[in-house]
Amino acid sequence: MSHKPSIAIIGGTGALGTGLARRWALAGYPITIGSRSAESATVSAQGLSALLSEKGVSGRVAGAENVEAARAADIVVLTVPFSQHAGMLGHIRESVQGRLVLDTTAPLVPPRVGTVQLPQAGSAAVSTQEALGDNVSVVSAFQTVAADKLQALHPMEGDVIVCGNKREDCARVIELVEATGMRGVYGGPLANSAASEALTSVLITINRQFKCQAGIKLVGLT
Ligand SMILES: NC(=O)c1ccc[n+]([C@@H]2O[C@H](COP(=O)([O-])OP(=O)(O)OC[C@H]3O[C@@H](n4cnc5c(N)ncnc54)[C@H](OP(=O)(O)O)[C@@H]3O)[C@@H](O)[C@H]2O)c1
C-alpha cells in the first residue's frame, strides 16, 4: 500500500480549502483542516468526515488551529485571501520549517480583481518563500482553478501549472493535482508563479464576460 503524505490546509474552512480537502480526502490523503478557530476547524472536519462516510471512503480527517494543523502535516497548503497572506506567513513560519508549503494565493487586490496587480516581490509565491526562509520549499499551484468546481465533486478538466525551485517537490504537488482529477504540468522555477497568479485576474475578466468559470488547458503536450 502506498504511503500518502498528510496535508494541513491553512484557512481550510474557506472556499478553495474546502474544495481541495474534499478531493484529497476522497483520494485517501490524511487531512487536517486549519482555521483561526479550532472550533470552526473541527466543524469543517466533521462535515468532511460525514462526506467520506456517505461515499464509503475511510480516511483520516481532523481540525485544528492553523499552527497546530501545520505542525502535524507533511505538506502545508496555504489557502487564505491575499490580504491576510503576509500576516498568516508570520503566524505559521516556525511551524512549517523543513516542510513543503504549497501556496495557492492569487494576489487579488479589491476592487480591481480583474486587473493583474502582482506584489513587489514579483509574485505572492516568491514573497512566501522570502517570508518562510530557505529551510522551506515553496511550490505554487491551483491559482487558475475555481473552488466551486472542486467542491462540487463533478469530474474536473484542464491543467494546473506547478512552479517551484525543487523539481522533486513540484513532482509531489503534481501528484496532488492529479488526485483532484486534473493534469499537473511543471512550469519552471517559483518566479514563474507570477504568470499563474496573473492568469487569475485574466480568468476573472473572462468569467465576467461569459458568465462561466473558465480554467486553462494546454494543447500540444504529448
Ligand atoms: N476561491 C477560489 O476559487 C480560488 C481559486 C484559486 C486560488 N484561490 C486562492 O486561495 C486563497 C483562498 O481563497 P478563498 O476564496 O478560499 O478564500 P476565503 O474563503 O475568503 O477564505 C479562506 C479562509 O481564510 C481564513 N481567513 C479569512 N480572513 C482571515 C484573516 N483575517 N486572518 C486569517 N485567516 C483568515 C478563513 O478561515 P477561518 O475563518 O476559519 O480562520 C477563511 O475560511 C486565496 O489566496 C485565493 O487567491 C482561490
Side-chain angles (χ1 to χ4, degrees):
M1 209 171 74
S2 69
H3 165 75
K4 288 199 162 56
S6 58
I7 301 172
I9 307 180
I10 306 304
T13 55
L16 186 67
T18 298
L20 290 173
R22 285 183 184 171
R23 298 276 173 169
W24 289 332
L26 286 167
Y29 288 85
I31 301 291
T32 303
I33 307 282
S35 168
R36 287 168 292 179
S37 147
E39 196 184 345
S40 300
T42 301
V43 169
S44 288
Q46 285 167 344
L48 184 53
S49 293
L51 176 72
L52 293 183
S53 302
E54 190 188 305
K55 301 276 182 190
V57 174
S58 62
R60 275 173 38 213
V61 177
E65 191 281 328
N66 286 316
V67 166
E68 294 311 312
R71 268 193 227 292
D74 298 315
I75 297 177
V76 178
V77 183
L78 194 55
T79 66
V80 295
F82 178 59
S83 57
Q84 310 307 325
H85 185 243
M88 186 55 73
L89 293 175
H91 184 59
I92 64 168
R93 187 178 193 283
E94 291 311 318
S95 60
V96 299
Q97 292 303 305
R99 235 68 64 73
L100 193 175
V101 171
L102 166 55
D103 195 355
T104 68
T105 308
L108 303 177
V109 186
R112 294 166 60 231
V113 294
T115 299
V116 177
Q117 299 176 78
L118 294 176
Q120 207 163 18
S123 69
V126 167
S127 60
T128 299
Q129 185 70 70
E130 288 174 0
L132 298 181
D134 292 341
N135 199 26
V136 173
S137 176
V138 178
V139 175
S140 148
F142 289 106
Q143 289 83 4
T144 55
V145 179
D148 290 355
K149 289 199 167 176
L150 285 167
Q151 286 191 27
L153 298 183
H154 300 312
M156 297 294 291
E157 57 172 356
D159 296 319
V160 174
I161 296 171
V162 176
C163 297
N165 295 335
K166 291 192 177 165
R167 278 299 287 266
E168 65 274 23
D169 287 334
C170 290
R172 293 170 77 194
V173 171
I174 286 171
E175 278 182 29
L176 293 184
V177 172
E178 285 168 0
T180 69
M182 289 177 288
R183 180 171 60 176
V185 181
Y186 172 65
L190 197 62
N192 289 2
S193 175
S196 310
E197 295 175 27
L199 268 174
T200 305
S201 292
V202 176
L203 289 172
I204 288 171
T205 301
I206 291 168
N207 291 344
R208 284 171 174 166
Q209 283 176 79
F210 291 90
K211 306 205 182 330
C212 67
Q213 288 184 315
I216 62 162
K217 193 167 182 64
L218 301 166
V219 296
L221 275 66
T222 51

